[in-house]
Amino acid sequence: MRARTLAMALAVALGVLAAPGNAQAAETGAARSRSAGGDVHGTAGSCALWSSAAGAYGMRCAGGGTARSYAELLGGAPVPACWLLPAGSEHDLTPADARPVDLGPVPTSQPPAVPVPNPVQTTTPEPAGVPTDVPTDVPTGVPTGVPDVVPTAVPSPVVPLPVDLPEQFLRVCLSPAPDAGTLAPAWDTTLLTSTVTLLRRDGNRPRFWWELTAGQRRYATRAEARGGIVEGILVTTPSRTPRIGQTVGFSAVAATAPTIALGRSRMRGVLTSLEVQPGEPGRRPVTCTGPGRELRAGEGDRTGADVCSFRYERTSAAGTGQAPDTWAVTGTETWRIESSADEGATWDVLREVRRAVRVDLRVTEVQTLVVPVSPVRAGGTP
């Protein structure tokens, strides 16, 4: 994640995101979803999921979606609400390298020099003029010399310790706050930056990026993947131009919805059914599973749950299509947006999406080939 606003690029590409609240709780291998206007949000494992009513979908996963839950990803550590980077790191808010950055020595203020006094004299010299002759009849026990002087203790000068100077750092914070229960970050999580002035040795400052745990760094570094439904092209088989009385099958060909993957997490779209209104007045729509099976020329069996079979009774000479002499045929594709937290072993439904498809279909009547007969000449020779 190298941008400061993780959700803005997706909002521009896929439409404006409704501001979601906190994500719902997620179980291993299960997705929990909720709707916010036309958008649906949910979680699966350590991924936040999103899908629009138009069929776009995506996921953003902490740690690449490798953990079964956010709690497992963090390993008991708290969610990294904020972290510090060196000033000038706006281009890379979640560095790939977790090694400490050399910030140089801690800047300190230099204390004033304290003068050290001269050494204090600890003995007293003999006074001048003291006689050197000592009487011999001095009583025992009487001191004969000058008494010793007890040295006076002089305190050492107090030298103050260096004082840290404030420094400027870049503070990066996750916004909004994650869900208090599941720790799941919101889909529109943004990295907010500000310049702060702190003491490096302040025990209450946010941690530097390289001081976060590996799980906390994976939580903050969120990978993103997205996809979307591409509706099919409505056709009839085995003939693209049916005739009256011919059984044809409607199909939504080239309908796709790619599977996206991050770590163990997956997301995809599955076309579950097709409903077609053939356009002929008074006729009921036909339905089939999936995109509708395409029929082959000469195929006898043209029935089944996966066949949207129909037989026209009228030509489209006075049809309602935009093109002349056609029926306006409309179809509805029903898609399921699904997610998986176990590499696709199991899937859970995030939402259903319906997409409209249409075609102007020409229906003709059976043409009878008339071969003219030449008149018979006299003598029986044509």
Side-chain angles (χ1 to χ4, degrees):
M1 184 170 56
R2 299 294 181 262
R4 285 175 293 282
T5 55
L6 299 179
M8 292 303 296
L10 185 63
V12 172
L14 302 180
V16 178
L17 298 180
N22 291 333
Q24 299 287 328
E27 299 174 354
T28 302
R32 300 298 178 90
S33 64
R34 63 176 181 80
S35 177
D39 302 330
V40 170
H41 296 78
T43 59
S46 60
C47 296
L49 312 177
W50 170 85
S51 175
S52 74
Y57 52 88
M59 59 182 175
R60 192 172 293 134
C61 305
T66 56
R68 293 177 296 180
S69 67
Y70 291 100
E72 178 185 274
L73 177 71
L74 290 166
V79 172
C82 298
W83 57 89
L84 297 178
L85 291 169
S89 300
E90 286 84 355
H91 67 287
D92 195 358
L93 304 181
T94 55
D97 194 346
R99 291 177 298 180
V101 174
D102 184 10
L103 299 174
V106 177
T108 57
S109 61
Q110 300 299 322
V114 178
V116 179
N118 294 328
V120 179
Q121 189 173 13
T122 58
T123 58
T124 304
E126 291 185 0
V130 176
T132 58
D133 295 337
V134 179
T136 57
D137 57 349
V138 177
T140 303
V142 177
T144 59
V146 179
D148 294 337
V149 177
V150 178
T152 303
V154 178
S156 301
V158 177
V159 180
L161 296 174
V163 178
D164 289 1
L165 291 178
E167 300 177 74
Q168 284 192 342
F169 300 101
L170 182 68
R171 181 173 61 186
V172 185
C173 297
L174 291 173
S175 178
D179 183 88
T182 66
L183 308 181
W187 173 261
D188 59 345
T189 297
T190 301
L191 294 183
L192 301 181
T193 61
S194 60
T195 300
V196 294
T197 301
L198 299 169
L199 296 176
R200 200 186 305 181
R201 289 175 175 160
D202 185 355
N204 295 322
R205 64 163 174 79
R207 292 187 178 185
F208 285 107
W209 173 256
W210 51 87
E211 294 175 334
L212 299 177
T213 67
Q216 288 176 317
R217 290 193 298 270
R218 288 196 298 269
Y219 185 98
T221 305
R222 303 177 68 197
E224 181 181 333
R226 56 190 176 188
I229 291 171
V230 178
E231 66 271 15
I233 301 171
L234 194 58
V235 299
T236 58
T237 55
S239 174
R240 294 291 197 265
T241 306
R243 300 184 305 273
I244 291 177
Q246 179 187 17
T247 300
V248 294
F250 291 101
S251 301
V253 300
T256 60
T259 299
I260 56 177
L262 285 173
R264 291 174 52 83
S265 301
R266 304 286 186 271
M267 204 170 181
R268 69 182 182 184
V270 178
L271 179 53
T272 59
S273 65
L274 175 67
E275 180 180 279
V276 180
Q277 175 53 258
E280 186 176 348
R283 305 295 298 275
R284 301 183 62 179
V286 294
T287 60
C288 52
T289 59
R293 177 164 57 89
E294 296 184 58
L295 302 178
R296 298 186 302 270
E299 185 176 3
D301 184 10
R302 299 187 179 185
T303 61
D306 60 343
V307 180
C308 282
S309 61
F310 188 78
R311 180 180 297 178
Y312 281 95
E313 298 175 351
R314 296 169 55 181
T315 69
S316 58
T320 57
Q322 296 178 0
D325 302 330
T326 59
W327 292 122
V329 181
T330 57
T332 301
E333 300 173 345
T334 299
W335 294 79
R336 280 202 313 255
I337 306 301
E338 300 179 338
S339 65
S340 172
D342 51 14
E343 300 184 42
T346 59
W347 292 89
D348 295 280
V349 179
L350 181 66
R351 74 174 304 165
E352 280 194 345
V353 173
R354 288 174 173 81
R355 299 298 299 270
V357 290
R358 68 174 307 279
V359 67
D360 290 333
L361 185 65
R362 187 180 303 277
V363 178
T364 63
E365 56 186 346
V366 177
Q367 299 294 328
T368 302
L369 180 61
V370 178
V371 180
V373 179
S374 301
V376 179
R377 296 179 182 178
T381 303

